[in-house]
Amino acid sequence: MASAPTITPPKIENKKLFIAGKWQDSVSGKTFETINPATGDCICQVAEGDLADVDLAVSAARKALESKPWARLSGSARGRLIYKLADLIEANAKELAALESIDNGKPIRDSLHVDIPGTAATFRYFAGWADKIHGKVIPVNGPFFAHTRHEPIGVVGQIIPWNFPAMMLSWKWAPALAAGCTIVLKPAEQTPLSALRLAELAQEAGFPDGVINVVPGFGPTAGAAIAAHMDIDKVAFTGSTEIGKQIMKTAAETNLKRVTLELGGKSPNIVFADADVETAAKFAYHALFFNMGQCCTAGSRLLVEDSVYDQVLETISSLAGKQVIGDPFDEKTTQGPQVSQQQCDTIMGYIDAGKSEGADCVTGGNRVDRAGYFVEPTIFAGVKDDMKIAKEEIFGPVLSVIRFKDVAEAIERANNTMYGLAAAVWTRDINKANKVSAALKAGTVWVNCYNVFDAAAPFGGFKMSGVGREMGEYALANYTEVKSVITALGR
Ligand code: NAI
Ligand code: MG
């Protein structure tokens, strides 16, 4: 059998903003560079959106929301458009995967087999919901007929990060479109390319002009303009807890737009001695090192029961040695660069803090000696809860391994964090699994698995990991307003 043709880094033209179905320069005329993190080279110039461009995009989205054809489109017709977009994503999977890999640095095997299929699957799941969004008939006292309508929340502003650019876009666009909203999306300044191509595919699928607008730009300008805009009804954000707080504050100080936030994490991954320890150790490795550690759910605190601690440490250390670090477009590569120089510097700062606070760096701990932003897979043993590397989200290939003695201690230490995005427990004892998963304060708990995502399963954070839920039926509640209609029956 002939092997699949190799995907090569694409040549990319300079990019514009996508507003009202047209490719436009920014009002200011400004552009910015998007960088290939594997080399540090500029890929192309991208029009830099700002307040004035967000204004134009919001006007276009408002007009599309309130006029034909979108305002009159049936749920099933919206569903057909979303299905069509999913089909186009699959038909263009290699090109989209190449855009993800050149812009973000993720290995092509991941972008082709994880990111892009996951993006298509999310659209397909929500396409199926589009004609199944409805209210209830509610019995009330007196001669009245009461029913609820689940109406689109309106114009939504969406701000996404760079770690899973296309997938994060699908988590935002798919439920919004199913619900009948219109969109102004700001991709991360590090990774604008896949969003711009997906806007083009959405147009090809037949979405009317103005339903989807994409305004690349920076956080403090374009992002802040979305958060503050008086004519945006809801803002959905994924990124750091710090910026999430700012967005909520801005929403409160402007028009009380609805807010959903999907923020950081410091997820505990608990391995008990009665687990299938080798499997748990292998998954624990990937729970942190997948996507160069740049996952909101990264299992960055590996809590291991005393009696199997050494065994787990040995297995994960040997896996670190097998990581294939290099060119993201080489199909054998399992670890690419971090997304940017800035993230790389932040991660190295955490590694230095781990060393100076007395954690034991058992493997890695350095930058890789080549162009681009590569960091060695790094494992710290003997990590204490009050160390910086145990408390703060690192968002890089740095794993903290923590020793514990019993169930109560594991639960207490796992929950000893301001975050609550995800957690996992490994044990063959069903009672222990049930007890621990109920006690963990996290939006997702995996039992004997890790990083299992599905468009049908709700996702979001407890505590400072977020507000609201994305994915599944729960996402729709965050893109609709409920209206009670009460009608007098003949007197
Ligand atoms: P960030 O939160 O600054 O950026 C995420 C998005 O928000 C980007 O589109 C950015 O342009 C936008 N943004 C930034 N400032 C804004 C503002 N004032 N108003 C509106 N939008 C704004 O995150 P950054 O700087 O890229 O990464 C820093 C840390 O955040 C990471 O090290 C990681 O710990 C965390 N993070 C968490 C993510 C998650 O999936 N939960 C994703 C990305 C980052
Ligand atoms: Mg880039």
Side-chain angles (χ1 to χ4, degrees), residues 159-163 186-190 217-220 223-224 237-240 243 246-247 262-264 296 343 393-395:
I159 302 171
I160 57 171
W162 42 261
N163 53 341
K186 191 195 85 62
E189 57 273 27
Q190 297 85 350
F218 292 88
F237 170 78
T238 298
S240 61
I243 302 295
Q246 274 188 39
I247 286 174
E262 200 264 274
L263 309 174
C296 51
Q343 284 295 125
E393 180 170 58
I394 300 175
F395 236 61

Side-chain angles (χ1 to χ4, degrees), residues 6-7 107-109 324 326-334:
T6 306
I7 300 177
I108 193 74
R109 55 197 258 162
V324 183
D327 175 7
F329 282 85
D330 184 332
E331 280 146 31
K332 291 191 210 66
T333 296
T334 60

